[in-house]
Amino acid sequence: MNSLKNKVVLITGASSGFGEDAAWFFAAEGCRLVLSARRIDRLQTLVSRIQDEGGEAIAIPMDITNADDIENMAQSAVALYGRIDILFNNAGIGRVDWFENHTPERDIDLLIRVNLIGLMQVTRAVLPQMIEQGSGHIINMSSVAGLIAPPLIASYSASKFGARAFTDSLRREVAPLGIKVSGIYPGPAATEFGQHVGNSKAYGSFRKKFNIRMSSEYVAKRVVDVAKRPRRSLVIPWWFRIVTAFDMLFPAVVDWIAYIFSKSKHKLE
Ligand code: NDP
């Protein structure tokens, strides 16, 4: 198991949810934190609270769709700490609705730019430093939607499948350079994420029946476990592995289940 003491950890999307909770758990391990997101007020409050507990952290505002912001964040982190040991690529947004209702600007273009292109651009900005160090760990936040693609989240799933492909390819590329790359694939969890995904009737009715969600703290703690014991991927909860294996082995059956679901939910609109 790796000790995380004094490791420099850069977290994107640290102003709420998994990113914020992971910041606390990394701080408790003695890590030095670089926290980024757009809501600088929330980041600064988090930094103050971590410092009050004896931790070390700085906040850097960054819109992940802005190349200059990304470059500035990576350079500031290196200027301050001299290295980046762990990158937790976590920022993301979602949209839950029939694809014909997705807006081209926000639900397709922006969503892909934040969830996939942003994640790749941040990695590209940080990677040269890790290569120079000859070490580093990149932890990419995908989703179970990056393993199986159900109805209502076509754009989101596309972005998270992309994040998985990027994660797997990069892992195979940089392993000889001493850099580890992990993918995180959580199921639904209780964060602010759900507040920004729209309010389609179909999703609302599904949520009424199946509202099982993990806590944000639980997911964040597992991310820190991956930093301590690096591995290729983490699917949480574990039984989603069975669901995704079933989808791979019996795609026609999953298509049929999704057909029944979509047919019944289309009637609600
Ligand atoms: P939150 O909404 O709580 O957090 C999302 C974070 O992303 C915020 O810190 C937000 O910061 C940041 N973010 C969004 N847009 C941008 C942007 N343009 N530039 C920079 N930062 C941005 O949701 P979660 O904690 O749940 O989500 C974190 C990750 O986990 C996402 O990638 C999500 O897809 C993934 N995930 C979530 C699941 C869930 O059920 N909650 C399940 C599986 C995966 P700010 O607004 O301040 O910029």
Side-chain angles (χ1 to χ4, degrees), residues 127-189:
L127 198 54
Q129 177 60 36
M130 289 186 170
I131 292 173
E132 196 183 312
Q133 291 164 195
S135 67
H137 189 179
I138 298 167
I139 303 176
N140 289 337
M141 178 55 75
S142 179
S143 161
V144 289
L147 298 167
I148 182 167
L152 290 173
I153 55 170
S155 299
Y156 184 68
S157 226
S159 73
K160 295 299 187 179
F161 265 70
R164 172 159 69 99
F166 173 68
T167 301
D168 286 346
S169 176
L170 188 70
R171 177 187 319 107
R172 291 159 185 164
E173 220 178 274
V174 299
L177 308 178
I179 299 165
K180 298 182 174 67
V181 184
S182 306
I184 310 288
Y185 304 92

Side-chain angles (χ1 to χ4, degrees), residues 13-19 37-39 62-65 90-93 114-115 141-143 156 160 186-189 191-193 196:
S15 57
S16 59
F18 302 156
R38 289 166 305 173
R39 289 171 294 175
M62 180 212 45
D63 183 334
I64 206 166
T65 65
N90 166 71
I93 57 174
V114 172
N115 293 5
M141 178 55 75
S142 179
S143 161
Y156 184 68
K160 295 299 187 179
T191 66
E192 292 177 20
F193 185 78
H196 312 292

Side-chain angles (χ1 to χ4, degrees), residues 83-144:
R83 57 188 297 113
I84 299 172
D85 296 299
I86 297 168
L87 165 62
F88 179 28
N89 253 325
N90 166 71
I93 57 174
R95 174 73 162 126
V96 187
D97 205 342
W98 305 112
F99 186 62
E100 65 267 27
N101 298 334
H102 286 204
T103 61
E105 299 80 18
R106 194 283 184 187
D107 302 333
I108 301 176
D109 189 88
L110 181 64
L111 188 146
I112 299 287
R113 282 203 285 140
V114 172
N115 293 5
L116 178 57
I117 297 172
L119 177 144
M120 293 168 71
Q121 297 285 19
V122 171
T123 305
R124 179 63 187 80
V126 166
L127 198 54
Q129 177 60 36
M130 289 186 170
I131 292 173
E132 196 183 312
Q133 291 164 195
S135 67
H137 189 179
I138 298 167
I139 303 176
N140 289 337
M141 178 55 75
S142 179
S143 161
V144 289

Side-chain angles (χ1 to χ4, degrees), residues 175-221:
L177 308 178
I179 299 165
K180 298 182 174 67
V181 184
S182 306
I184 310 288
Y185 304 92
T191 66
E192 292 177 20
F193 185 78
Q195 296 168 18
H196 312 292
V197 298
N199 49 8
S200 94
K201 283 187 194 148
Y203 180 52
S205 123
F206 175 75
R207 280 280 299 279
K208 263 188 205 148
K209 284 188 198 139
F210 303 97
N211 199 12
I212 310 160
R213 292 191 291 166
M214 294 176 287
S215 74
S216 174
E217 291 85 355
Y218 177 70
V219 175
K221 190 128 195 44

